[in-house]
Amino acid sequence: MNKRIFPLLFLTVCFFSRTTAQQKVLVFQSDFGLKDGAVAAMKGVAVGVLPDLRIYDLTHEIPAFDIWEAAYRLHQSAPFWPAGTVFVSVVDPGVGSERKAVVMKSKSGHFFVTPDNGTLTLVADALGIMEVRIIDERRNRLPNSSGSYTFHGRDVFAYTAARLASGAITFAEVGPVTDGIVRLNYQKPSISNGVIQGTVDILDVQYGNVWTNIDSKLVRSAGIQAGDLLNVSITEGATERYRGTVLFGNTFADVAQGKPVAYLNSLMNFSLAINMGNFAKEFGVASGPAWRVSVQKHNK
Amino acid sequence: MNKRIFPLLFLTVCFFSRTTAQQKVLVFQSDFGLKDGAVAAMKGVAVGVLPDLRIYDLTHEIPAFDIWEAAYRLHQSAPFWPAGTVFVSVVDPGVGSERKAVVMKSKSGHFFVTPDNGTLTLVADALGIMEVRIIDERRNRLPNSSGSYTFHGRDVFAYTAARLASGAITFAEVGPVTDGIVRLNYQKPSISNGVIQGTVDILDVQYGNVWTNIDSKLVRSAGIQAGDLLNVSITEGATERYRGTVLFGNTFADVAQGKPVAYLNSLMNFSLAINMGNFAKEFGVASGPAWRVSVQKHNK
Amino acid sequence: MNKRIFPLLFLTVCFFSRTTAQQKVLVFQSDFGLKDGAVAAMKGVAVGVLPDLRIYDLTHEIPAFDIWEAAYRLHQSAPFWPAGTVFVSVVDPGVGSERKAVVMKSKSGHFFVTPDNGTLTLVADALGIMEVRIIDERRNRLPNSSGSYTFHGRDVFAYTAARLASGAITFAEVGPVTDGIVRLNYQKPSISNGVIQGTVDILDVQYGNVWTNIDSKLVRSAGIQAGDLLNVSITEGATERYRGTVLFGNTFADVAQGKPVAYLNSLMNFSLAINMGNFAKEFGVASGPAWRVSVQKHNK
């Protein structure tokens, strides 16, 4: 091989390692819905930065202004994306006000570009914080957009995320390091005398499954295993919404159609479903801190 | 040109012909909806297999557990994708139970990765079965996912489909060949004494058009051509829902706004619409085996 | 460097400049919804033309047959995409009738592939018309699709747009030049004695913000600046729907939660919102020519 090719090869390798470090993968989340041109405007800005970015959607159906759900949906899917993926989450009721615009790099190597309003709470806990930087909007803002105050999703977040994912800027060039992030308060599950207490974190909305914050470790520490019967109750504040004895199965089909079943969901958290039915609808269950779940082994 | 380049060129060509054989195109369908992180988790797994896969959505709005509609939507769009495209369809009420996870290669060269629960019925008939293989989950499963029983869309189907589309595994490496597939019963249209009998396969939901299973060949064999008037009735079980004399046109605008029209739809099946209106809503028509359609030429 | 490489380099550059001229970026809009296989059939056709097209969605949730909204959503997002982007918009109640199928090249270098039914009205005014060509369907139509009359989105528009975006045809090869386009009538805002009159162009549906056609220039010419109080009224025909004195802020958070605010939206048009609320729902405001807005500075 011609020796002169070596420097070129080296440069090529550097080029690729630099760009593939962040995979050029960009994932958008928002509460914009899909009915108008807002999501497409963000993507257009990103494509304008680099046409060969690989652009995906997490969801745009976060309920308007619902920061908790934004935090949860990131938490639900980010770990399944390769390190280097850049997530943009825009649920931003404080747009244009003093809330910070940040990029968090997690210990897992993912990047999260978002208003610092609590959206990062769950991924910070689950994936670990490597470093958080404030977006320096003097340098990292869509050119000629300074007159626009209400669409930082397009003018700041999409633009900066695309430049980061494409390698046009490094993480350090985002802006100065900041200490910590805004965190939402959220309850941790507990166990006492074999009774697990937790909350309904969120609904698996499409099927009406009830996802709690009780993880598999707690379930095991209560001595519960597949095939056991469990006493389960769900209360909203002081009102009981559900009380029953339920099989703890591996999957929905472990019970007859129309019957309730407890199981570990795809995030390995304790959950409740009706096989081929809708548990949340049938029992009027919703999610949030007021929705408490109690689980213990049924003594035969 | 330096002769030493030839082997390299040859390897390059082999590499490309191997990978482009399946185009790296992956198309997802599910009943997950777009409100949460489930679809994004599947895509993250696929991107983790190979970032430069070309990933698309068929639909994620299949009604929960509706295998017939999953079968129909594949049938409606798969033929318009190039050979080598890998489809993943996850409408999977039996997830984690004994239903098989399979990959079907059609005679048209498309691949379908899905639970074997009837989803393949219509594409198997329309495109022909080349070979069906059972996914060997010991080898073809997202690493470290064995504790998860309820999200094979992410852990088995997306992972296997991405590996197949990327060339990481060959079709043979999916797993052992199996005989045949689970098929849904569905009715075939018939003709007798110039009267065509069929069923309402599905609604063109956005516009309320009624799509039947009566194909263009049957229409022609009844001597019907554009410009003819037809006697059409639609019954649900024993109840007549619609009876009328309708123009058989080429397109909606062949009748005045607000008037019903019969036509061949984009799959060349006999259909009914109201120009600028909603036939299904106006006459309370739905789809399924109970919905029978009768068509014959109107004798002036 | 070997001299023989030069011609190759030159060819390579030509190849890239030809193809990247149009960036291979294709953006789809329609009123098809996302529940069935129609959008996927269009994308399959495009991928069949060239698998490495970069395909995006503007929205598919345009209300059925609503050409005004199709025009508006193009206007809202097209300017944020790079020159060379090819947009396909299929809101096509006249499919298969005599309405023309066209491609418009704007002075900004964007391409718009659409039925010529008014969809181009706003982008033509905002971006300027460079040239409009009628699609010659004898050459630019999905092979073997001539029997299909009701899905030009798939058979004509997606196919032609993909061929244009991929470089398979040049703009000139689309078909013959035509004069002008079909335009929707729409009202222009006006100012008289410091009172600005305009209409509600559209709602920012997800949040219930009210977007008018009053641009920032008119606002400035009325001497209005951030921090001013404004007298605002909204009428539907002869009925007053809203009258109030509102702060003209930069962003939502300039007023307390639950309070109305006036601001310039992301297109720099005068708009009304409730901070963390839904203005349109609260006051029963919708959009269209019947919805008139009046704005003037409040004299303290």
Side-chain angles (χ1 to χ4, degrees):
Chain A
M1 192 183 271
N2 193 325
K3 283 179 200 168
R4 284 152 154 207
I5 294 182
F6 277 109
L8 184 64
L9 257 182
F10 180 71
L11 279 175
T12 306
V13 168
C14 288
F15 175 75
F16 275 99
S17 61
R18 180 191 161 94
T19 52
T20 57
Q22 292 176 9
Q23 310 261 15
K24 297 188 194 162
V25 177
L26 198 54
V27 181
F28 282 96
Q29 171 174 278
S30 76
D31 63 351
F32 299 169
L34 294 169
K35 292 191 194 315
D36 68 18
V39 169
M42 292 198 298
K43 290 183 182 169
V45 165
V47 170
V49 168
L50 187 72
D52 63 344
L53 285 175
R54 293 148 183 148
I55 299 178
Y56 296 94
D57 298 304
L58 204 167
T59 177
H60 296 284
E61 304 284 358
I62 300 289
F65 317 130
D66 190 333
I67 293 166
W68 170 257
E69 186 147 339
Y72 200 92
R73 297 311 177 193
L74 279 182
H75 169 61
Q76 180 185 357
S77 50
F80 296 94
W81 289 78
T85 298
V86 177
F87 295 87
V88 189
S89 179
V90 190
V91 176
D92 193 12
V95 59
S97 71
E98 290 306 303
R99 63 100 187 92
K100 285 184 286 185
V102 300
V103 182
M104 181 184 101
K105 183 176 181 179
S106 66
K107 286 184 177 154
S108 58
H110 299 97
F111 296 86
F112 300 91
V113 183
T114 179
D116 183 27
N117 56 15
T119 298
L120 294 168
T121 304
L122 296 174
V123 284
D125 282 5
L127 305 178
I129 300 178
M130 179 74 92
E131 196 170 68
V132 183
R133 290 178 176 273
I134 299 175
I135 298 174
D136 177 352
E137 294 182 21
R138 289 164 310 173
R139 287 189 300 167
N140 294 309
R141 190 181 169 110
L142 183 66
N144 305 315
S145 72
S146 65
S148 166
Y149 289 84
T150 58
F151 197 2
H152 287 195
R154 179 191 70 194
D155 302 334
V156 175
F157 297 115
Y159 180 72
T160 301
R163 298 222 301 157
L164 183 62
S166 69
I169 56 169
T170 63
F171 181 47
E173 288 166 343
V174 164
V177 172
T178 182
D179 277 345
I181 53 165
V182 172
R183 282 171 192 274
L184 304 175
N185 280 318
Y186 69 102
Q187 295 173 293
K188 298 272 165 73
S190 62
I191 182 166
S192 167
N193 295 325
V195 181
I196 312 176
Q197 300 279 357
T199 53
V200 180
D201 258 358
I202 211 150
L203 298 183
D204 184 5
V205 281
Q206 187 77 351
Y207 307 100
N209 303 338
V210 170
W211 287 14
T212 78
N213 65 344
I214 299 167
D215 57 46
S216 59
K217 213 161 26 170
L218 266 187
V219 172
R220 275 196 303 271
S221 74
I224 296 171
Q225 42 192 347
D228 287 348
L229 286 176
L230 308 179
N231 293 332
V232 175
S233 75
I234 304 178
T235 52
E236 182 193 12
T239 310
E240 186 172 275
R241 295 293 182 185
Y242 175 78
R243 173 173 296 274
T245 302
V246 184
L247 179 79
F248 183 62
N250 282 323
T251 189
F252 315 114
D254 288 347
V255 298
Q257 289 194 13
K259 296 293 176 195
V261 61
Y263 66 105
L264 295 176
N265 70 7
S266 55
L267 303 177
M268 303 307 281
N269 285 338
F270 184 84
S271 301
L272 292 158
I274 290 177
N275 185 19
M276 300 288 285
N278 188 310
F279 190 104
K281 211 167 167 182
E282 176 126 353
F283 299 109
V285 174
S287 64
W291 289 88
R292 306 282 303 162
V293 179
S294 159
V295 181
Q296 75 181 121
K297 232 172 133 160
H298 178 72
N299 293 314
K300 284 159 276 192
Chain B
M1 192 183 270
N2 192 324
K3 283 179 200 169
R4 285 152 152 207
I5 294 181
F6 276 110
L8 184 64
L9 257 183
F10 180 71
L11 279 174
T12 306
V13 169
C14 289
F15 176 74
F16 275 98
S17 62
R18 179 192 162 95
T19 51
T20 56
Q22 292 174 11
Q23 310 261 17
K24 297 189 195 162
V25 176
L26 198 54
V27 182
F28 282 96
Q29 171 173 280
S30 76
D31 63 351
F32 298 170
L34 294 170
K35 292 190 195 313
D36 68 17
V39 169
M42 292 198 296
K43 290 184 183 170
V45 165
V47 170
V49 168
L50 187 72
D52 62 343
L53 285 175
R54 293 149 182 150
I55 299 179
Y56 295 95
D57 297 305
L58 204 168
T59 177
H60 296 284
E61 304 283 359
I62 300 289
F65 316 131
D66 190 334
I67 294 167
W68 170 258
E69 186 147 339
Y72 201 91
R73 297 311 176 193
L74 280 182
H75 168 61
Q76 179 185 358
S77 49
F80 296 94
W81 290 78
T85 298
V86 177
F87 294 87
V88 190
S89 179
V90 190
V91 177
D92 193 12
V95 59
S97 70
E98 290 306 304
R99 64 99 186 93
K100 284 184 286 186
V102 300
V103 181
M104 181 183 101
K105 183 176 181 180
S106 66
K107 286 184 177 153
S108 58
H110 300 97
F111 296 86
F112 300 91
V113 183
T114 179
D116 183 27
N117 57 15
T119 297
L120 294 168
T121 304
L122 296 173
V123 283
D125 281 5
L127 306 178
I129 300 178
M130 179 75 92
E131 196 170 68
V132 184
R133 291 177 176 273
I134 299 175
I135 298 175
D136 178 352
E137 293 182 19
R138 289 165 309 174
R139 287 189 299 169
N140 293 308
R141 191 183 168 107
L142 184 66
N144 306 314
S145 72
S146 65
S148 166
Y149 289 85
T150 58
F151 198 2
H152 286 195
R154 180 190 69 193
D155 301 334
V156 176
F157 297 115
Y159 181 72
T160 302
R163 299 223 300 156
L164 182 62
S166 69
I169 57 169
T170 63
F171 181 45
E173 288 166 343
V174 163
V177 172
T178 182
D179 276 346
I181 54 164
V182 173
R183 282 172 192 273
L184 304 174
N185 280 318
Y186 69 100
Q187 294 173 293
K188 299 272 166 70
S190 63
I191 183 167
S192 166
N193 294 326
V195 181
I196 312 176
Q197 300 280 356
T199 54
V200 180
D201 258 358
I202 212 150
L203 298 182
D204 183 6
V205 282
Q206 187 77 350
Y207 307 101
N209 303 338
V210 169
W211 287 13
T212 79
N213 65 345
I214 299 168
D215 59 44
S216 59
K217 215 165 19 173
L218 266 187
V219 171
R220 276 196 303 271
S221 74
I224 296 170
Q225 43 193 347
D228 287 347
L229 287 176
L230 309 179
N231 293 332
V232 174
S233 75
I234 303 178
T235 52
E236 181 192 14
T239 310
E240 186 172 276
R241 295 293 183 185
Y242 175 77
R243 173 174 295 274
T245 300
V246 185
L247 179 79
F248 183 62
N250 282 323
T251 189
F252 314 114
D254 288 346
V255 298
Q257 289 195 14
K259 295 293 177 196
V261 61
Y263 66 106
L264 295 177
N265 70 7
S266 54
L267 303 176
M268 303 307 282
N269 285 337
F270 184 84
S271 301
L272 292 157
I274 290 176
N275 184 20
M276 299 288 285
N278 188 310
F279 190 103
K281 211 168 167 181
E282 177 126 352
F283 299 108
V285 174
S287 63
W291 289 87
R292 307 281 303 162
V293 179
S294 159
V295 181
Q296 74 180 119
K297 232 173 133 161
H298 177 74
N299 292 314
K300 282 162 276 193
Chain C
M1 192 183 271
N2 193 324
K3 283 178 199 169
R4 285 152 153 206
I5 294 182
F6 276 109
L8 184 63
L9 257 182
F10 180 71
L11 279 174
T12 306
V13 168
C14 289
F15 175 74
F16 276 99
S17 60
R18 180 191 161 94
T19 51
T20 56
Q22 292 175 9
Q23 310 261 15
K24 296 189 195 162
V25 176
L26 198 54
V27 182
F28 282 95
Q29 171 173 279
S30 76
D31 62 352
F32 298 170
L34 295 169
K35 293 192 194 313
D36 68 18
V39 170
M42 292 198 297
K43 290 183 183 169
V45 165
V47 170
V49 168
L50 187 72
D52 62 344
L53 285 175
R54 294 147 182 150
I55 299 178
Y56 296 95
D57 297 304
L58 204 168
T59 177
H60 296 283
E61 304 283 359
I62 300 289
F65 316 130
D66 190 334
I67 294 167
W68 170 258
E69 187 148 338
Y72 201 91
R73 298 312 176 193
L74 279 182
H75 168 61
Q76 180 185 359
S77 50
F80 296 94
W81 290 78
T85 298
V86 177
F87 294 87
V88 190
S89 179
V90 191
V91 176
D92 193 12
V95 60
S97 70
E98 290 306 304
R99 64 97 186 93
K100 285 184 285 185
V102 300
V103 182
M104 181 184 101
K105 183 175 182 181
S106 66
K107 285 184 177 153
S108 57
H110 300 97
F111 296 86
F112 299 91
V113 183
T114 179
D116 183 28
N117 57 15
T119 298
L120 294 169
T121 304
L122 295 174
V123 284
D125 281 6
L127 306 178
I129 300 178
M130 179 75 91
E131 196 171 68
V132 184
R133 290 179 177 272
I134 299 176
I135 299 175
D136 178 351
E137 294 182 20
R138 290 165 308 173
R139 289 189 299 168
N140 294 308
R141 189 180 171 110
L142 184 65
N144 305 315
S145 73
S146 65
S148 167
Y149 289 85
T150 57
F151 198 1
H152 287 195
R154 181 191 68 194
D155 302 333
V156 176
F157 297 115
Y159 180 72
T160 301
R163 298 222 301 156
L164 182 63
S166 69
I169 56 170
T170 63
F171 181 46
E173 287 165 343
V174 164
V177 172
T178 182
D179 277 345
I181 53 164
V182 172
R183 282 171 192 274
L184 304 175
N185 280 317
Y186 69 101
Q187 294 173 293
K188 299 273 165 73
S190 62
I191 183 165
S192 167
N193 295 324
V195 181
I196 312 176
Q197 300 280 355
T199 54
V200 180
D201 257 359
I202 211 151
L203 298 183
D204 184 5
V205 281
Q206 187 78 349
Y207 307 101
N209 303 338
V210 169
W211 287 14
T212 78
N213 65 345
I214 299 167
D215 57 45
S216 60
K217 213 161 25 169
L218 266 186
V219 171
R220 276 195 303 272
S221 74
I224 297 171
Q225 44 192 346
D228 286 347
L229 287 177
L230 309 179
N231 293 332
V232 175
S233 75
I234 304 178
T235 52
E236 182 193 13
T239 310
E240 186 172 275
R241 296 292 183 185
Y242 175 77
R243 173 175 295 274
T245 301
V246 185
L247 179 79
F248 183 62
N250 282 323
T251 189
F252 314 114
D254 287 347
V255 297
Q257 288 195 14
K259 296 292 177 197
V261 61
Y263 67 105
L264 294 177
N265 70 7
S266 54
L267 303 176
M268 303 307 281
N269 285 336
F270 184 84
S271 301
L272 292 158
I274 290 177
N275 184 20
M276 299 289 284
N278 188 311
F279 190 104
K281 210 167 166 183
E282 177 126 353
F283 299 109
V285 175
S287 64
W291 289 88
R292 307 281 304 162
V293 179
S294 159
V295 180
Q296 75 181 118
K297 230 173 136 161
H298 177 74
N299 293 312
K300 282 161 276 194

